[in-house]
């Protein structure tokens, strides 16, 4: 697939393998080991890979894609883990590897409401293709990975990208925000403080702050996500919440309380360096001063 419009692309600067291994363990993720899965899961994993191999045939693509998406509806992590594995198999050819990320993008496009609980897993499946320990894989995957990450930003209000710093933020169903450094393909910081799932996130223009909104909690938080002075060094891999703004509850029809409706209506935008605009589920506009 082509590089997204507007020149949105990942940087090409990555840490060396030694530098990456020196990162705190909390900011690294482990490789999946097939031997650790239950046997039934292994068999399903292998089935998905067999269907994906058939997907490489042009005449079978639509049929195989339908099967893969039906399996993913029942078990999204199954498709994510299998396609993440296939995306690193350059021994099957660059087209095979790139099409694995394409399958994930098509699932996101068709069933976006199924994806939010698995956004960190999906993000990390893509980022594993960009690890500095395998520069050949990174070069081969850069265009497909860029397109996949762009699709996440475009689709989900709880995902944000800051191009200058190459930071990628994901608000999770586990009440935290994970910030990835795309130059190193690693977790960079984790922001913890929300009491319910994170519904939207947005970097400020300079990348020094990030705004987040939790719909169930009815709270907007502003985070400092750069290390400043001695205190910043002590905070290490965590960020500091510099403002908490509570909001009144909303009475929404059940249809408007759905995940799909929130994906459609909820947005966060920085109007300036000290003001955030939140559009809530009922399309109410709320302006929040940072200072």
């Amino acid at each position: 697939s082509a590089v997204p419009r507007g020149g949105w692309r990942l940087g090409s600067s990555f840490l060396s393998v030694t530098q990456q291994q020196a990162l705190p363990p909390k900011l690294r993720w482990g490789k999946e080991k097939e031997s650790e899965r239950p046997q039934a899961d292994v068999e399903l994993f292998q089935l998905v890979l067999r269907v994906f191999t058939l997907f490489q045939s042009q005449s079978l693509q639509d049929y195989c894609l339908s099967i893969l998406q039906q399996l993913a509806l029942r078990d999204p992590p199954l498709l994510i883990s299998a396609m993440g594995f296939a995306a690193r198999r350059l021994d099957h050819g660059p087209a095979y590897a790139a099409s694995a990320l394409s399958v994930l993008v098509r699932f996101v496009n068709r069933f976006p409401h199924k994806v939010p609980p698995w956004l960190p897993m999906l993000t990390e499946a893509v980022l594993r293709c960009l690890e500095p320990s395998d520069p050949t894989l990174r070069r081969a995957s850069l265009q497909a990975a860029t397109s996949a990450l762009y699709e996440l930003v475009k689709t989900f209000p709880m995902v944000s990208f800051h191009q200058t710093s190459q930071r990628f933020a994901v608000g999770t169903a586990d009440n935290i925000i994970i910030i990835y450094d795309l130059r190193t393909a690693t977790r960079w910081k984790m922001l913890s403080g929300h009491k319910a799932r994170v519904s939207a996130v947005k970097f400020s223009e300079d990348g020094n702050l990030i705004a987040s909104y939790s719909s169930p909690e009815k709270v907007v938080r502003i985070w400092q996500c750069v290390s400043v002075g001695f205190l910043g060094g002590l905070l290490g891999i965590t960020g500091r919440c510099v403002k908490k703004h509570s909001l009144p509850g909303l009475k929404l029809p059940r249809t408007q309380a759905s995940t799909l409706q929130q994906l459609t209506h909820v947005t966060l935008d920085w109007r300036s360096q000290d003001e955030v605009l939140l559009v809530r589920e009922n399309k109410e506009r709320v302006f929040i001063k940072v200072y």
Side-chain angles (χ1 to χ4, degrees):
S1 55
V3 173
R5 63 183 180 274
W8 193 99
R9 63 180 68 236
L10 307 187
S12 56
S13 173
F14 286 82
L15 288 184
S16 68
V17 177
T18 302
Q19 289 173 312
Q20 187 194 30
Q21 290 173 343
L23 290 169
K26 192 173 183 180
L27 295 185
R28 300 196 297 265
W29 53 77
K31 304 289 187 188
E32 292 181 357
K33 296 181 180 178
E34 189 167 318
S35 61
E36 294 179 355
R37 296 192 186 99
Q39 183 60 32
D41 290 350
V42 172
E43 291 172 358
L44 280 172
F45 184 87
Q46 293 171 343
L47 171 62
V48 171
L49 290 179
R50 286 196 291 270
V51 174
F52 177 66
T53 299
L54 294 174
F55 173 81
Q56 305 308 305
S57 170
Q58 188 71 31
S59 62
L60 295 174
Q61 275 197 357
D62 290 344
Y63 179 67
C64 291
L65 181 62
S66 177
I67 294 173
L68 291 171
Q69 291 185 341
Q70 290 304 312
L71 288 168
L73 283 175
R74 296 177 64 88
D75 188 354
L78 174 65
L79 183 72
I80 294 170
S81 59
M83 293 303 97
F85 174 80
R88 302 193 298 274
R89 294 296 303 271
L90 284 183
D91 54 318
H92 289 320
Y96 175 94
S99 65
L101 295 182
S102 173
V103 167
L104 291 176
V105 168
R106 293 187 195 191
F107 181 69
V108 167
N109 288 338
R110 186 168 182 188
F111 302 106
H113 59 290
K114 291 290 186 180
V115 177
W118 313 107
L119 276 170
M121 183 181 187
L122 179 53
T123 300
E124 291 170 14
V126 176
L127 290 188
R128 285 189 182 121
C129 299
L130 301 174
E131 288 184 345
S133 57
D134 192 340
T136 301
L137 175 62
R138 180 178 65 80
R139 284 192 297 270
S141 305
L142 187 59
Q143 188 174 25
T146 299
S147 295
L149 294 175
Y150 173 82
E151 202 66 32
L152 297 184
V153 173
K154 184 179 72 172
T155 305
F156 301 106
M158 66 286 291
V159 178
S160 181
F161 174 62
H162 188 256
Q163 185 160 344
T164 302
S165 65
Q166 292 287 293
R167 301 268 159 74
F168 191 89
V170 177
T172 75
D174 296 321
N175 313 343
I176 64 171
I177 302 162
I178 304 173
I179 304 178
Y180 299 91
D181 188 335
L182 301 189
R183 298 167 300 180
T184 63
T186 56
R187 292 183 180 185
W188 180 64
K189 284 187 185 293
M190 298 176 70
L191 310 179
S192 177
H194 279 294
K195 306 302 182 187
R197 60 178 168 78
V198 180
S199 308
V201 297
K202 188 73 173 182
F203 281 105
S204 62
E205 185 175 354
D206 62 8
N208 292 334
L209 298 172
I210 189 166
S212 62
Y213 168 58
S214 171
S215 173
E217 187 185 10
K218 302 179 287 295
V219 163
V220 172
R221 289 179 180 265
I222 308 296
W223 307 83
Q224 179 181 292
C225 54
V226 292
S227 298
V228 179
F230 178 70
L231 180 59
L234 289 178
L235 287 171
I237 63 173
T238 62
R240 182 166 67 95
C241 179
V242 297
K243 179 162 186 174
K244 174 183 175 182
H245 182 87
S246 297
L247 299 161
L250 295 177
K251 292 184 178 180
L252 293 172
R254 182 171 298 181
T255 54
Q256 290 189 1
S258 69
T259 300
L260 191 57
Q261 285 292 324
Q262 290 187 33
L263 294 179
T264 303
H265 297 314
V266 173
T267 61
L268 268 177
D269 281 302
W270 287 82
R271 305 281 291 181
S272 65
Q273 193 60 26
D274 65 351
E275 186 178 54
V276 173
L277 168 62
L278 166 68
V279 178
R280 302 185 74 185
E281 300 87 323
N282 62 348
K283 301 184 182 181
E284 174 191 358
R285 294 158 61 90
V286 181
F287 293 89
I288 300 163
K289 288 289 187 181
V290 176
Y291 303 111

mmCIF file of all heavy atoms in Angstrom, residues 31-65:
data_model
loop_
_atom_site.group_PDB
_atom_site.id
_atom_site.type_symbol
_atom_site.label_atom_id
_atom_site.label_comp_id
_atom_site.label_asym_id
_atom_site.label_seq_id
_atom_site.Cartn_x
_atom_site.Cartn_y
_atom_site.Cartn_z
ATOM 1 N N LYS A 31 8.953 -11.783 23.175
ATOM 2 C CA LYS A 31 8.490 -12.513 22.005
ATOM 3 C C LYS A 31 7.485 -13.577 22.435
ATOM 4 O O LYS A 31 7.617 -14.190 23.487
ATOM 5 C CB LYS A 31 9.667 -13.206 21.310
ATOM 6 C CG LYS A 31 10.802 -12.278 20.920
ATOM 7 C CD LYS A 31 10.396 -11.385 19.784
ATOM 8 C CE LYS A 31 11.583 -10.587 19.272
ATOM 9 N NZ LYS A 31 11.203 -9.591 18.308
ATOM 10 N N GLU A 32 6.484 -13.798 21.602
ATOM 11 C CA GLU A 32 5.551 -14.880 21.889
ATOM 12 C C GLU A 32 6.225 -16.212 21.603
ATOM 13 O O GLU A 32 6.930 -16.374 20.613
ATOM 14 C CB GLU A 32 4.301 -14.741 21.014
ATOM 15 C CG GLU A 32 3.463 -13.543 21.367
ATOM 16 C CD GLU A 32 2.230 -13.459 20.510
ATOM 17 O OE1 GLU A 32 2.080 -14.314 19.617
ATOM 18 O OE2 GLU A 32 1.429 -12.547 20.723
ATOM 19 N N LYS A 33 6.017 -17.164 22.479
ATOM 20 C CA LYS A 33 6.570 -18.501 22.278
ATOM 21 C C LYS A 33 5.426 -19.453 21.995
ATOM 22 O O LYS A 33 4.557 -19.673 22.826
ATOM 23 C CB LYS A 33 7.348 -18.939 23.525
ATOM 24 C CG LYS A 33 8.574 -18.071 23.814
ATOM 25 C CD LYS A 33 9.315 -18.580 25.034
ATOM 26 C CE LYS A 33 10.539 -17.728 25.331
ATOM 27 N NZ LYS A 33 11.240 -18.190 26.551
ATOM 28 N N GLU A 34 5.438 -20.036 20.804
ATOM 29 C CA GLU A 34 4.344 -20.917 20.414
ATOM 30 C C GLU A 34 4.237 -22.106 21.353
ATOM 31 O O GLU A 34 3.157 -22.609 21.623
ATOM 32 C CB GLU A 34 4.563 -21.388 18.970
ATOM 33 C CG GLU A 34 3.373 -22.120 18.403
ATOM 34 C CD GLU A 34 3.467 -22.303 16.902
ATOM 35 O OE1 GLU A 34 3.865 -21.360 16.214
ATOM 36 O OE2 GLU A 34 3.148 -23.414 16.442
ATOM 37 N N SER A 35 5.393 -22.545 21.905
ATOM 38 C CA SER A 35 5.384 -23.714 22.783
ATOM 39 C C SER A 35 4.627 -23.452 24.081
ATOM 40 O O SER A 35 4.234 -24.383 24.767
ATOM 41 C CB SER A 35 6.822 -24.133 23.093
ATOM 42 O OG SER A 35 7.505 -23.086 23.755
ATOM 43 N N GLU A 36 4.419 -22.157 24.426
ATOM 44 C CA GLU A 36 3.742 -21.825 25.680
ATOM 45 C C GLU A 36 2.223 -21.749 25.505
ATOM 46 O O GLU A 36 1.497 -21.604 26.480
ATOM 47 C CB GLU A 36 4.275 -20.495 26.208
ATOM 48 C CG GLU A 36 5.747 -20.568 26.633
ATOM 49 C CD GLU A 36 6.258 -19.227 27.130
ATOM 50 O OE1 GLU A 36 5.497 -18.241 27.054
ATOM 51 O OE2 GLU A 36 7.403 -19.164 27.595
ATOM 52 N N ARG A 37 1.722 -21.810 24.268
ATOM 53 C CA ARG A 37 0.283 -21.763 24.043
ATOM 54 C C ARG A 37 -0.350 -23.124 24.298
ATOM 55 O O ARG A 37 0.254 -24.159 24.038
ATOM 56 C CB ARG A 37 -0.016 -21.365 22.594
ATOM 57 C CG ARG A 37 0.440 -19.979 22.187
ATOM 58 C CD ARG A 37 -0.192 -19.649 20.837
ATOM 59 N NE ARG A 37 0.312 -18.382 20.328
ATOM 60 C CZ ARG A 37 1.264 -18.291 19.425
ATOM 61 N NH1 ARG A 37 1.825 -19.371 18.937
ATOM 62 N NH2 ARG A 37 1.676 -17.122 19.001
ATOM 63 N N PRO A 38 -1.598 -23.147 24.768
ATOM 64 C CA PRO A 38 -2.327 -24.417 24.822
ATOM 65 C C PRO A 38 -2.419 -25.019 23.433
ATOM 66 O O PRO A 38 -2.434 -24.307 22.427
ATOM 67 C CB PRO A 38 -3.706 -23.994 25.352
ATOM 68 C CG PRO A 38 -3.486 -22.676 26.023
ATOM 69 C CD PRO A 38 -2.372 -22.016 25.286
ATOM 70 N N GLN A 39 -2.518 -26.365 23.365
ATOM 71 C CA GLN A 39 -2.495 -27.048 22.077
ATOM 72 C C GLN A 39 -3.613 -26.574 21.155
ATOM 73 O O GLN A 39 -3.408 -26.395 19.951
ATOM 74 C CB GLN A 39 -2.607 -28.568 22.293
ATOM 75 C CG GLN A 39 -2.522 -29.395 21.009
ATOM 76 C CD GLN A 39 -1.218 -29.188 20.270
ATOM 77 O OE1 GLN A 39 -0.175 -28.956 20.884
ATOM 78 N NE2 GLN A 39 -1.264 -29.265 18.949
ATOM 79 N N ALA A 40 -4.811 -26.332 21.693
ATOM 80 C CA ALA A 40 -5.925 -25.867 20.859
ATOM 81 C C ALA A 40 -5.596 -24.521 20.228
ATOM 82 O O ALA A 40 -5.920 -24.277 19.054
ATOM 83 C CB ALA A 40 -7.198 -25.773 21.695
ATOM 84 N N ASP A 41 -4.951 -23.636 21.004
ATOM 85 C CA ASP A 41 -4.571 -22.337 20.464
ATOM 86 C C ASP A 41 -3.522 -22.487 19.376
ATOM 87 O O ASP A 41 -3.534 -21.750 18.384
ATOM 88 C CB ASP A 41 -4.038 -21.434 21.578
ATOM 89 C CG ASP A 41 -5.132 -20.992 22.535
ATOM 90 O OD1 ASP A 41 -6.311 -21.229 22.218
ATOM 91 O OD2 ASP A 41 -4.813 -20.418 23.583
ATOM 92 N N VAL A 42 -2.586 -23.402 19.554
ATOM 93 C CA VAL A 42 -1.552 -23.643 18.543
ATOM 94 C C VAL A 42 -2.201 -24.098 17.240
ATOM 95 O O VAL A 42 -1.834 -23.639 16.146
ATOM 96 C CB VAL A 42 -0.530 -24.690 19.034
ATOM 97 C CG1 VAL A 42 0.419 -25.088 17.906
ATOM 98 C CG2 VAL A 42 0.251 -24.149 20.224
ATOM 99 N N GLU A 43 -3.180 -24.981 17.343
ATOM 100 C CA GLU A 43 -3.842 -25.491 16.136
ATOM 101 C C GLU A 43 -4.614 -24.380 15.426
ATOM 102 O O GLU A 43 -4.593 -24.292 14.188
ATOM 103 C CB GLU A 43 -4.769 -26.643 16.508
ATOM 104 C CG GLU A 43 -4.008 -27.893 16.964
ATOM 105 C CD GLU A 43 -4.922 -28.971 17.510
ATOM 106 O OE1 GLU A 43 -6.151 -28.731 17.573
ATOM 107 O OE2 GLU A 43 -4.407 -30.047 17.878
ATOM 108 N N LEU A 44 -5.284 -23.503 16.173
ATOM 109 C CA LEU A 44 -5.981 -22.376 15.560
ATOM 110 C C LEU A 44 -4.987 -21.410 14.923
ATOM 111 O O LEU A 44 -5.228 -20.875 13.829
ATOM 112 C CB LEU A 44 -6.823 -21.646 16.608
ATOM 113 C CG LEU A 44 -8.168 -22.281 16.962
ATOM 114 C CD1 LEU A 44 -8.799 -21.551 18.140
ATOM 115 C CD2 LEU A 44 -9.104 -22.265 15.759
ATOM 116 N N PHE A 45 -3.882 -21.178 15.616
ATOM 117 C CA PHE A 45 -2.831 -20.300 15.096
ATOM 118 C C PHE A 45 -2.330 -20.837 13.756
ATOM 119 O O PHE A 45 -2.192 -20.086 12.773
ATOM 120 C CB PHE A 45 -1.700 -20.235 16.127
ATOM 121 C CG PHE A 45 -0.578 -19.290 15.790
ATOM 122 C CD1 PHE A 45 -0.661 -17.955 16.147
ATOM 123 C CD2 PHE A 45 0.553 -19.733 15.136
ATOM 124 C CE1 PHE A 45 0.376 -17.077 15.856
ATOM 125 C CE2 PHE A 45 1.590 -18.867 14.845
ATOM 126 C CZ PHE A 45 1.504 -17.528 15.206
ATOM 127 N N GLN A 46 -2.078 -22.129 13.701
ATOM 128 C CA GLN A 46 -1.597 -22.745 12.469
ATOM 129 C C GLN A 46 -2.671 -22.704 11.377
ATOM 130 O O GLN A 46 -2.363 -22.527 10.190
ATOM 131 C CB GLN A 46 -1.143 -24.176 12.744
ATOM 132 C CG GLN A 46 0.101 -24.238 13.623
ATOM 133 C CD GLN A 46 0.428 -25.645 14.088
ATOM 134 O OE1 GLN A 46 -0.424 -26.543 14.025
ATOM 135 N NE2 GLN A 46 1.653 -25.836 14.566
ATOM 136 N N LEU A 47 -3.947 -22.842 11.762
ATOM 137 C CA LEU A 47 -5.030 -22.757 10.790
ATOM 138 C C LEU A 47 -5.073 -21.369 10.160
ATOM 139 O O LEU A 47 -5.221 -21.229 8.935
ATOM 140 C CB LEU A 47 -6.363 -23.054 11.474
ATOM 141 C CG LEU A 47 -7.628 -22.801 10.635
ATOM 142 C CD1 LEU A 47 -7.657 -23.706 9.403
ATOM 143 C CD2 LEU A 47 -8.877 -22.994 11.479
ATOM 144 N N VAL A 48 -4.957 -20.345 10.987
ATOM 145 C CA VAL A 48 -4.964 -18.979 10.470
ATOM 146 C C VAL A 48 -3.814 -18.789 9.480
ATOM 147 O O VAL A 48 -3.999 -18.180 8.411
ATOM 148 C CB VAL A 48 -4.868 -17.960 11.620
ATOM 149 C CG1 VAL A 48 -4.639 -16.549 11.073
ATOM 150 C CG2 VAL A 48 -6.130 -17.978 12.463
ATOM 151 N N LEU A 49 -2.639 -19.306 9.793
ATOM 152 C CA LEU A 49 -1.498 -19.160 8.886
ATOM 153 C C LEU A 49 -1.722 -19.907 7.576
ATOM 154 O O LEU A 49 -1.317 -19.434 6.504
ATOM 155 C CB LEU A 49 -0.217 -19.652 9.565
ATOM 156 C CG LEU A 49 0.302 -18.775 10.712
ATOM 157 C CD1 LEU A 49 1.558 -19.387 11.320
ATOM 158 C CD2 LEU A 49 0.579 -17.346 10.240
ATOM 159 N N ARG A 50 -2.389 -21.069 7.641
ATOM 160 C CA ARG A 50 -2.674 -21.806 6.410
ATOM 161 C C ARG A 50 -3.667 -21.039 5.526
ATOM 162 O O ARG A 50 -3.506 -20.964 4.308
ATOM 163 C CB ARG A 50 -3.210 -23.207 6.735
ATOM 164 C CG ARG A 50 -2.136 -24.166 7.238
ATOM 165 C CD ARG A 50 -2.620 -25.599 7.172
ATOM 166 N NE ARG A 50 -3.671 -25.865 8.139
ATOM 167 C CZ ARG A 50 -3.456 -26.292 9.385
ATOM 168 N NH1 ARG A 50 -2.218 -26.479 9.818
ATOM 169 N NH2 ARG A 50 -4.468 -26.522 10.203
ATOM 170 N N VAL A 51 -4.701 -20.473 6.154
ATOM 171 C CA VAL A 51 -5.664 -19.668 5.395
ATOM 172 C C VAL A 51 -4.967 -18.445 4.806
ATOM 173 O O VAL A 51 -5.210 -18.060 3.651
ATOM 174 C CB VAL A 51 -6.850 -19.243 6.281
ATOM 175 C CG1 VAL A 51 -7.777 -18.278 5.527
ATOM 176 C CG2 VAL A 51 -7.624 -20.459 6.758
ATOM 177 N N PHE A 52 -4.065 -17.856 5.588
ATOM 178 C CA PHE A 52 -3.338 -16.684 5.094
ATOM 179 C C PHE A 52 -2.437 -17.041 3.913
ATOM 180 O O PHE A 52 -2.277 -16.245 2.981
ATOM 181 C CB PHE A 52 -2.514 -16.065 6.223
ATOM 182 C CG PHE A 52 -1.684 -14.892 5.785
ATOM 183 C CD1 PHE A 52 -2.287 -13.714 5.363
ATOM 184 C CD2 PHE A 52 -0.298 -14.968 5.789
ATOM 185 C CE1 PHE A 52 -1.521 -12.630 4.947
ATOM 186 C CE2 PHE A 52 0.469 -13.892 5.381
ATOM 187 C CZ PHE A 52 -0.143 -12.721 4.961
ATOM 188 N N THR A 53 -1.850 -18.222 3.929
ATOM 189 C CA THR A 53 -1.051 -18.666 2.790
ATOM 190 C C THR A 53 -1.913 -18.766 1.537
ATOM 191 O O THR A 53 -1.510 -18.344 0.445
ATOM 192 C CB THR A 53 -0.390 -20.023 3.092
ATOM 193 O OG1 THR A 53 0.486 -19.873 4.224
ATOM 194 C CG2 THR A 53 0.431 -20.512 1.901
ATOM 195 N N LEU A 54 -3.137 -19.288 1.677
ATOM 196 C CA LEU A 54 -4.060 -19.347 0.541
ATOM 197 C C LEU A 54 -4.481 -17.942 0.098
ATOM 198 O O LEU A 54 -4.766 -17.717 -1.082
ATOM 199 C CB LEU A 54 -5.291 -20.173 0.909
ATOM 200 C CG LEU A 54 -5.053 -21.670 1.167
ATOM 201 C CD1 LEU A 54 -6.330 -22.327 1.675
ATOM 202 C CD2 LEU A 54 -4.557 -22.360 -0.095
ATOM 203 N N PHE A 55 -4.503 -17.010 1.031
ATOM 204 C CA PHE A 55 -4.856 -15.618 0.733
ATOM 205 C C PHE A 55 -3.904 -15.003 -0.293
ATOM 206 O O PHE A 55 -4.257 -14.053 -1.000
ATOM 207 C CB PHE A 55 -4.838 -14.814 2.041
ATOM 208 C CG PHE A 55 -5.011 -13.334 1.884
ATOM 209 C CD1 PHE A 55 -6.275 -12.776 1.715
ATOM 210 C CD2 PHE A 55 -3.914 -12.483 1.926
ATOM 211 C CE1 PHE A 55 -6.440 -11.404 1.594
ATOM 212 C CE2 PHE A 55 -4.068 -11.110 1.804
ATOM 213 C CZ PHE A 55 -5.339 -10.565 1.630
ATOM 214 N N GLN A 56 -2.699 -15.552 -0.407
ATOM 215 C CA GLN A 56 -1.724 -15.018 -1.355
ATOM 216 C C GLN A 56 -2.154 -15.244 -2.807
ATOM 217 O O GLN A 56 -1.657 -14.578 -3.716
ATOM 218 C CB GLN A 56 -0.342 -15.645 -1.115
ATOM 219 C CG GLN A 56 0.192 -15.506 0.296
ATOM 220 C CD GLN A 56 0.158 -14.066 0.787
ATOM 221 O OE1 GLN A 56 0.696 -13.157 0.165
ATOM 222 N NE2 GLN A 56 -0.504 -13.854 1.931
ATOM 223 N N SER A 57 -3.065 -16.190 -3.027
ATOM 224 C CA SER A 57 -3.597 -16.427 -4.366
ATOM 225 C C SER A 57 -4.680 -15.397 -4.675
ATOM 226 O O SER A 57 -5.648 -15.263 -3.920
ATOM 227 C CB SER A 57 -4.181 -17.840 -4.473
ATOM 228 O OG SER A 57 -4.885 -17.998 -5.676
ATOM 229 N N GLN A 58 -4.513 -14.649 -5.758
ATOM 230 C CA GLN A 58 -5.446 -13.583 -6.097
ATOM 231 C C GLN A 58 -6.885 -14.082 -6.189
ATOM 232 O O GLN A 58 -7.820 -13.415 -5.730
ATOM 233 C CB GLN A 58 -5.027 -12.959 -7.441
ATOM 234 C CG GLN A 58 -5.797 -11.706 -7.817
ATOM 235 C CD GLN A 58 -5.442 -10.510 -6.943
ATOM 236 O OE1 GLN A 58 -4.309 -10.391 -6.477
ATOM 237 N NE2 GLN A 58 -6.411 -9.638 -6.694
ATOM 238 N N SER A 59 -7.078 -15.267 -6.743
ATOM 239 C CA SER A 59 -8.436 -15.789 -6.942
ATOM 240 C C SER A 59 -9.110 -16.186 -5.632
ATOM 241 O O SER A 59 -10.335 -16.319 -5.575
ATOM 242 C CB SER A 59 -8.402 -16.985 -7.891
ATOM 243 O OG SER A 59 -7.629 -18.045 -7.336
ATOM 244 N N LEU A 60 -8.330 -16.387 -4.565
ATOM 245 C CA LEU A 60 -8.886 -16.834 -3.293
ATOM 246 C C LEU A 60 -8.917 -15.729 -2.231
ATOM 247 O O LEU A 60 -9.364 -15.970 -1.107
ATOM 248 C CB LEU A 60 -8.084 -18.019 -2.756
ATOM 249 C CG LEU A 60 -8.121 -19.301 -3.589
ATOM 250 C CD1 LEU A 60 -7.157 -20.328 -2.997
ATOM 251 C CD2 LEU A 60 -9.532 -19.865 -3.647
ATOM 252 N N GLN A 61 -8.448 -14.546 -2.565
ATOM 253 C CA GLN A 61 -8.264 -13.506 -1.550
ATOM 254 C C GLN A 61 -9.561 -13.150 -0.823
ATOM 255 O O GLN A 61 -9.582 -13.091 0.410
ATOM 256 C CB GLN A 61 -7.649 -12.254 -2.181
ATOM 257 C CG GLN A 61 -6.145 -12.309 -2.264
ATOM 258 C CD GLN A 61 -5.526 -10.941 -2.504
ATOM 259 O OE1 GLN A 61 -6.217 -9.942 -2.659
ATOM 260 N NE2 GLN A 61 -4.207 -10.902 -2.532
ATOM 261 N N ASP A 62 -10.622 -12.888 -1.562
ATOM 262 C CA ASP A 62 -11.867 -12.466 -0.914
ATOM 263 C C ASP A 62 -12.407 -13.555 0.016
ATOM 264 O O ASP A 62 -12.848 -13.273 1.140
ATOM 265 C CB ASP A 62 -12.923 -12.113 -1.965
ATOM 266 C CG ASP A 62 -12.585 -10.830 -2.712
ATOM 267 O OD1 ASP A 62 -11.721 -10.077 -2.225
ATOM 268 O OD2 ASP A 62 -13.180 -10.597 -3.775
ATOM 269 N N TYR A 63 -12.365 -14.781 -0.436
ATOM 270 C CA TYR A 63 -12.868 -15.907 0.358
ATOM 271 C C TYR A 63 -12.024 -16.078 1.627
ATOM 272 O O TYR A 63 -12.567 -16.222 2.727
ATOM 273 C CB TYR A 63 -12.833 -17.175 -0.485
ATOM 274 C CG TYR A 63 -13.299 -18.416 0.221
ATOM 275 C CD1 TYR A 63 -14.632 -18.579 0.615
ATOM 276 C CD2 TYR A 63 -12.399 -19.444 0.511
ATOM 277 C CE1 TYR A 63 -15.053 -19.724 1.275
ATOM 278 C CE2 TYR A 63 -12.816 -20.588 1.172
ATOM 279 C CZ TYR A 63 -14.137 -20.725 1.551
ATOM 280 O OH TYR A 63 -14.546 -21.855 2.212
ATOM 281 N N CYS A 64 -10.698 -16.048 1.462
ATOM 282 C CA CYS A 64 -9.813 -16.248 2.617
ATOM 283 C C CYS A 64 -9.903 -15.077 3.591
ATOM 284 O O CYS A 64 -9.864 -15.279 4.814
ATOM 285 C CB CYS A 64 -8.371 -16.433 2.145
ATOM 286 S SG CYS A 64 -8.093 -17.985 1.271
ATOM 287 N N LEU A 65 -10.037 -13.865 3.057
ATOM 288 C CA LEU A 65 -10.163 -12.703 3.941
ATOM 289 C C LEU A 65 -11.424 -12.811 4.784
ATOM 290 O O LEU A 65 -11.419 -12.489 5.979
ATOM 291 C CB LEU A 65 -10.178 -11.414 3.126
ATOM 292 C CG LEU A 65 -10.274 -10.121 3.938
ATOM 293 C CD1 LEU A 65 -9.067 -9.958 4.852
ATOM 294 C CD2 LEU A 65 -10.412 -8.917 3.019
#
